[in-house]
Amino acid sequence: MSGDKAAIRGWTRTQSRLGRQAARPVIIFGLLSSLLGVGQAWCVATVLGQGLIGFVSGAGAHPHDLWPVFAFAGLAFVRALIMALSDTAAAKAGINARRRLRGEVLASILTGGPALLRKTHSGELTTIAVDRVEALDGFFARWVPASILWFAAPLLILVPVCFVQPHAALILGLCGAAVPFGQAVFGIGAAVASRNQFLAMTRLQARFLDRVKGIATIVLAGRADEETQRLGQAADELRQRTMKVLRVAFLSSASIDCAMVLALVVIAITDARQAMALLSGGASPALAATLTGGLFVLLVVPEFFAPLRSMALAYQDRAHAQGAATAILDLPAPAPRPSPEGARTVNASGVTISLEDVCFTWDPARGPALDHISFTVPAGETVILAGPSGSGKSTIMELLLGFIQPDSGSVRLNGAPLESIVPDALSRMVSWIGQKPVLFAGTLKDNILFARPDADEDDLMAAVKAAAVDQFLPSLPEGLETRIGEGGFGLSGGQAQRIAIARAYLKNAPILLLDEPTAHLDPATEKSVFESLQRLALRRTVVLATHSAAAHMFNGRRVDLQSGCVVARQGVA
């Protein structure tokens, strides 16, 4: 736990350092605003002091005594402009920081690939990439500037106060110094409450996402009312956690109010005693200076505590950052990527795949998923991985895709270790078609062009024809411009697989990985899809994982797997 806390503190310090670079304009504007506030307080104190002296002496105010009013109006205008610029700069700092962090989180998720979903729920990943990063806006836009301004601005204000009334400066300094201790006490509770609140939010989102995905099963099983009740309980838990966070935040703000009231009372009593002592002598320059100085100090007290109040309001944003750090640091570490010096590519015109004594374990309690697997797929040829579910076929696919790294042994492409190949180069070399193709909400054309957005119309139509997509296009209302739902909603299983095959045709990669591509298809559709895959496999290095009897259409080499071990080979070295 101490190591986790140290990692969280280190992450927060790093983000604070990066945030301060972007927050410099906000800090400068904040200091200028405080100085202008002091100037406004002096103008008001001068006007009120002149009025009180005139009342005591029986003389009225003179027109030339109204200059502080015009000065106050000018300072107010300038201060409003500076505050607007400060808010704009803070918003830009928050936007840039969130864009950077979201890019880092998404890069980590994409690097982890599908293997990441074995350890982290997709709803939790969504929460981290969207909500938790979004919640850091206040950390960069408010907390980072406030962490500097809370002591810099009050120190700046104390300088003129010290010249006017040294004893008032001492009182303000002591009361202001007591505020951070109160913030530290309440801040511990705020951090814990914030982490619990984010945990409740993650649970709610994960449950909601699961239920949306399985809504058909829930309705058919007659469990809709029960699941609605459970979602309501999760939402109520989130409400309670959120109220606890707000409760701690209000208590934190109350500590500053107490310190400010104490400073006002002590300074007011001290100034009142001095004014009463001088009032017996009638109007005098000393009385005028005391009244003006006393009013100035009283008016400056709220200005003095304003940066401290801003820090208290932003302290919750710091707690959000710590909660986000916990989630971000809990993401599985991405597989190490080659340095620019060690990165390499391979000749993509013909690629030989070899697995050399490869071992891999998902869960030690369940034993190895792959146990000393070795075989070679010559360039331009096909190897069929056969075996029952759980024999290790999909694990081999994830190794070849680079989503996981072997515990021992090596995976090589044309003799180059897979981990030494530039990720972008590996992505260009490999096409993959799984059991259920991932289709996005949009048009069929957009889904096919996802493989190569810059493809021209001729290449697109060649892929459509090669994958036999053109056979069912006439039955669609708008051809390739027909819109489908998420996951291929609106298409049959065979039609969805043909879209995936067309996408692979368009990519034109030298390696083709097929992971149970005809699962859940009827025999007639399966035969038709295999015929399209045969055309796609020409002159490519193919690894086909299947237990379908129709796989004999490929006439490739064969590796039989059982419980992560090779039990038979046909034509494979």
Side-chain angles (χ1 to χ4, degrees):
M1 180 61 68
S2 60
D4 294 340
K5 291 181 178 179
I8 291 172
R9 286 195 297 269
W11 186 89
T12 305
R13 282 196 297 268
T14 300
Q15 298 304 320
S16 297
R17 184 176 65 254
L18 296 174
R20 280 194 291 271
Q21 297 176 0
R24 287 175 184 171
V26 183
I27 296 171
I28 294 173
F29 288 140
L31 294 175
L32 290 175
S33 178
S34 295
L35 286 177
L36 292 173
V38 171
Q40 287 180 286
W42 180 257
C43 292
V44 175
T46 301
V47 172
L48 293 177
Q50 289 175 353
L52 290 174
I53 291 297
F55 177 77
V56 172
S57 62
H62 299 285
H64 66 272
D65 294 332
L66 296 180
W67 66 265
V69 176
F70 298 106
F72 176 87
L75 291 174
F77 175 79
V78 176
R79 191 180 190 189
L81 179 61
I82 287 180
M83 291 176 67
L85 294 174
S86 177
D87 290 343
T88 302
K92 289 181 179 178
I95 291 171
N96 293 333
R98 281 179 288 140
R99 182 184 294 118
R100 172 179 56 81
L101 276 176
R102 186 166 284 118
E104 293 175 0
V105 170
L106 288 176
S108 179
I109 293 173
L110 293 174
T111 300
L116 184 60
L117 296 177
R118 296 179 183 266
K119 301 178 181 179
T120 309
H121 194 281
S122 58
E124 183 176 350
L125 294 176
T126 303
T127 302
I128 295 172
V130 179
D131 295 324
R132 296 218 173 191
V133 173
E134 196 66 26
L136 292 176
D137 176 65
F139 177 80
F140 294 100
R142 293 186 293 271
W143 165 256
V144 172
S147 65
I148 302 296
L149 290 173
W150 78 269
F151 67 87
L155 285 177
L156 193 63
I157 292 173
L158 282 179
V159 173
V161 174
C162 188
F163 280 106
V164 175
Q165 287 188 356
H167 69 278
L170 178 62
I171 295 171
L172 278 178
L174 292 176
C175 292
V179 171
F181 294 100
Q183 294 300 301
V185 172
F186 291 113
I188 297 173
V192 174
S194 178
R195 285 195 291 269
N196 292 335
Q197 190 246 7
F198 268 120
L199 181 60
M201 181 185 297
T202 299
R203 290 172 178 168
L204 175 61
Q205 291 183 331
R207 174 176 287 274
F208 183 75
L209 182 60
D210 271 344
R211 274 48 184 179
V212 169
K213 288 181 177 179
I215 191 169
T217 302
I218 292 173
V219 173
L220 291 175
R223 302 289 295 274
D225 292 339
E226 182 179 345
E227 290 301 327
T228 301
Q229 184 178 2
R230 291 184 178 180
L231 282 173
Q233 292 173 352
D236 188 64
E237 180 189 1
L238 176 61
R239 178 190 62 81
Q240 294 176 7
R241 300 288 187 186
T242 303
M243 295 309 297
K244 288 182 180 179
V245 172
L246 294 176
R247 187 186 311 156
V248 176
F250 287 142
L251 289 174
S252 175
S253 179
S255 66
I256 296 182
D257 293 334
C258 293
M260 185 174 68
V261 170
L262 178 62
L264 281 170
V265 170
V266 174
I267 293 174
I269 292 175
T270 304
D271 290 344
R273 288 177 178 176
Q274 292 180 354
M276 291 300 293
L278 295 172
L279 190 59
S280 58
S284 64
L287 178 60
T290 300
L291 288 175
T292 302
L295 290 169
F296 166 71
V297 172
L298 290 175
L299 291 170
V300 161
V301 169
E303 200 69 47
F304 177 86
F305 282 95
L308 296 171
R309 187 182 299 278
S310 297
M311 183 193 68
L313 294 175
Y315 205 90
Q316 181 59 32
D317 296 317
R318 182 176 181 271
H320 284 322
Q322 292 177 334
T326 303
I328 292 174
L329 293 174
D330 281 345
L331 285 175
R337 292 301 182 183
S339 62
E341 294 79 10
R344 57 186 298 185
T345 59
V346 299
N347 181 8
S349 59
V351 182
T352 297
I353 300 174
S354 60
L355 276 71
E356 301 175 359
D357 201 32
V358 170
C359 296
F360 183 83
T361 300
W362 291 106
D363 183 0
R366 298 168 56 188
L370 298 177
D371 190 9
H372 300 285
I373 298 293
S374 298
F375 64 84
T376 299
V377 188
E381 298 193 19
T382 297
V383 162
I384 301 171
L385 302 178
S389 298
S391 59
K393 302 188 300 295
S394 295
T395 302
I396 292 176
M397 289 295 181
E398 295 200 28
L399 283 169
L400 295 175
L401 289 167
F403 293 142
I404 57 177
Q405 301 295 325
D407 297 332
S408 62
S410 65
V411 179
R412 297 176 178 271
L413 302 183
N414 281 358
L418 189 68
E419 63 271 13
S420 70
I421 299 175
V422 178
D424 289 343
L426 178 62
S427 177
R428 290 192 297 269
M429 292 167 56
V430 178
S431 290
W432 172 82
I433 300 176
Q435 300 180 23
K436 185 175 177 57
V438 177
L439 300 182
F440 307 102
T443 65
L444 294 182
K445 181 178 180 180
D446 291 338
N447 275 277
I448 297 174
L449 288 176
F450 187 79
R452 188 154 62 93
D454 59 344
D456 57 29
E457 192 69 19
D458 292 339
D459 290 339
L460 172 64
M461 296 312 298
V464 167
K465 184 176 181 180
V469 174
D470 57 341
Q471 293 181 6
F472 63 86
L473 279 183
S475 63
L476 300 178
E478 298 179 52
L480 285 178
E481 297 298 332
T482 301
R483 301 190 66 85
I484 60 175
E486 182 180 356
F489 183 79
L491 296 178
S492 67
Q495 290 173 339
Q497 284 290 39
R498 291 190 181 281
I499 297 298
I501 294 171
R503 185 187 289 170
Y505 264 109
L506 196 61
K507 187 174 183 180
N508 195 27
I511 298 176
L512 178 62
L513 304 180
L514 305 173
D515 188 5
E516 302 283 3
T518 59
H520 317 302
L521 299 180
D522 62 84
T525 305
E526 180 183 41
K527 182 176 181 296
S528 177
V529 169
F530 263 126
E531 289 175 352
S532 296
L533 290 174
Q534 276 185 302
R535 293 192 294 270
L536 177 60
L538 292 176
R539 296 183 299 278
R540 290 181 171 86
T541 304
V542 181
V543 178
L544 168 62
T546 185
H547 54 255
S548 170
H552 69 276
M553 298 175 62
F554 273 80
N555 295 322
R557 303 164 187 254
R558 184 183 177 96
V559 175
D560 290 308
L561 300 172
Q562 180 72 40
S563 300
C565 299
V566 176
V567 295
R569 305 168 187 264
Q570 295 180 13
V572 179

